[in-house]
Amino acid sequence: MAINFAGGTDAISYAGPGWQTSGCCTLRMKTTQTTANAVPLSIWNSSSRNGFAFILNNTANKLLAHAYGVDGSSVGFSFPSTTTVNDGNEHIIALNWDTNSGGANAFYIDGNLEGSGNSAVTWTMAAGETLRLANQPSFWAAYVGEISEVAVWRRQLDAVEITGWLAKKGSPAQLRNGLIFHAPLVRPARDRYGAVMTGPTGTTVSDHGPVIYPRA
């Protein structure tokens, strides 16, 4: 059961557990978005945009994985998908990142490699930076659709884990090595290991659980 975001102020955000210079972020999403430049997930500073996000282009029906540098304007990486995601079907999104200049990054949808390359500049995610779902600050449109199985690891996942497990709808909880955040976004609502959640906001966004910050 995924959480359904109906646009407007519908949103969920989390205080970050301390993001790493290298890691992986995954989620499942299902949408037929009609508003341009909606952001289903971001981990970036609301004023400088330093960090990364997934940006949905509803005209091309593609998803962009994009990172901004420390100045908020230079681009760390930018990978537009070739896979159509704005089609009402569930898609599994995965991003391996490395914030160091020259660090290796790779973007996957449904186990298919959409883009890869080295960071052009250094970019960072500050310790405790907010992970936001659906409604982003200011410029970006509100996301309309479903999101589930959001997870972050302090390491990059290998191809077998991404294509052989996650792309086949295996739970991120089974890949516990380095898992630092996991929000299945299903009921009943409960919390483990002190996750701090803001919201949810909106009539179709409900409490959920478990939200897990595994112990080191």
Side-chain angles (χ1 to χ4, degrees):
M1 180 190 298
I3 291 264
N4 183 54
F5 297 87
T9 59
D10 279 14
I12 294 177
S13 60
Y14 308 87
W19 313 115
Q20 310 295 308
T21 57
S22 180
C24 182
C25 177
T26 69
L27 75 152
R28 299 180 192 175
M29 58 179 285
K30 179 179 178 180
T31 185
T32 52
Q33 184 82 28
T34 59
T35 307
N37 294 328
V39 178
L41 180 151
S42 74
I43 309 177
W44 61 21
N45 184 283
S46 59
S47 58
S48 72
R49 297 183 299 183
N50 184 30
F52 79 86
F54 300 110
I55 305 169
L56 181 64
N57 183 323
N58 75 305
T59 303
N61 299 318
K62 311 299 184 182
L63 193 67
L64 176 73
H66 190 88
Y68 283 106
V70 294
D71 60 2
S73 59
S74 58
V75 175
F77 63 75
S78 190
F79 304 132
S81 74
T82 57
T83 298
T84 295
V85 297
N86 196 30
D87 57 3
N89 297 315
E90 185 177 66
H91 295 281
I92 294 90
I93 314 302
L95 173 70
N96 279 331
W97 81 76
D98 189 321
T99 65
N100 295 300
S101 180
N105 309 281
F107 176 39
Y108 297 82
I109 297 179
D110 300 330
N112 300 310
L113 182 63
E114 303 289 318
S116 63
N118 298 333
S119 295
V121 297
T122 297
W123 56 280
T124 64
M125 293 176 290
E129 188 63 76
T130 301
L131 185 153
R132 296 180 179 86
L133 300 179
N135 188 278
Q136 310 293 325
S138 61
F139 175 79
W140 308 101
Y143 172 80
V144 178
E146 297 180 359
I147 295 177
S148 64
E149 295 294 351
V150 181
V152 180
W153 289 261
R154 63 167 57 93
R155 64 180 180 90
Q156 295 195 355
L157 299 189
D158 62 34
V160 172
E161 291 170 319
I162 292 174
T163 64
W165 182 254
L166 294 178
K168 296 178 180 179
K169 298 191 176 181
S171 170
Q174 299 301 312
L175 302 177
R176 294 193 62 84
N177 178 22
L179 182 66
I180 57 174
F181 177 88
H182 180 213
L185 277 69
V186 296
R187 296 176 181 175
R190 55 196 175 95
D191 177 276
R192 296 178 62 190
Y193 304 147
V196 178
M197 182 180 72
T198 302
T201 303
T203 57
T204 61
V205 182
S206 58
D207 288 335
H208 61 86
V211 179
I212 304 170
Y213 295 149
R215 301 182 193 280

